[in-house]
Amino acid sequence: MVNAVISGCFGKMGKVVGDVISKRDDIEAVAGVDKVVSGELPFETVTDVSKLTCKPDVIIDFSHPSALPSLLDYAKTNGTALVLATTGYSETDIADIKSASSQIPIFFTANMSIGINLLSALAKKAATILGDDYDIEIVEKHHNQKIDAPSGTALMLADSINEARDERYNYIYDRHSQHKKRDKTEIGIHSVRGGTIVGEHEIIFAGRDEVITLSHSAASKEVFAVGAVNAAVFLSGKPAGMYSMQDLIEASNN
């Protein structure tokens, strides 16, 4: 049995993670962390990770980038694995995560959905085959409460394509101030915010007289919670290092 702490336990995703865990017999939520206590949960809740009275195997974080320093400090001190499912990290944050992974196991990915990670793999293959003859645009849509833009997933998809094409692309986020033709080495990334859209990502490969579109749509937040919980179970007992959804998928196929 994996003992897990949910960071951001009173948030929307934290509550979904708790519900997913409650239906499984291979993992148990033993505590939760949140700056604001807004109700009762069937486990201990504290306002700071340093106040935990238990020692979990893994912490699942769906909170805010500002929580990262305290989570990394706690995890390194106690040898606790981390599943980081929060988005909006800065370059400095990511560098800190990579550094900490030399001491503890960390599962870090921009999106916990298996479907999105499959989309990323398909996008890499398409970019390799289609080459310079197709312009690439990414459109991401999320609910009106999402703070960061573009989404971490959109950037992950762009990075996957860029990696497949030897880092040749520049990312363009806004064209209203540019009065020029589109460059072949651009990936346009566009953000839509509205209503209760859970998450939609579309990759457009636009060629001469032909358009190829790859897309993924999440119907509920549960797909991300399930991925994070699977990651927590996968990570338990692993040696220090950086792990991703690709590692989990490969382990599942073996």
Side-chain angles (χ1 to χ4, degrees), residues 24-88:
R24 297 179 57 149
D25 56 12
D26 56 352
I27 185 170
E28 179 182 4
V30 295
V33 181
D34 208 307
K35 285 185 176 181
V36 179
V37 176
S38 56
E40 293 185 4
L41 293 173
F43 43 73
E44 173 194 28
T45 57
V46 295
T47 56
D48 189 272
V49 67
S50 64
K51 298 179 181 179
L52 288 171
T53 61
C54 61
K55 187 177 179 181
D57 300 311
V58 61
I59 298 174
I60 302 173
D61 179 47
F62 267 108
S63 60
H64 188 272
S66 62
L68 182 65
S70 61
L71 289 173
L72 291 179
D73 286 344
Y74 177 90
K76 288 188 291 184
T77 299
N78 293 279
T80 306
L82 285 177
V83 175
L84 299 175
T86 299
T87 61

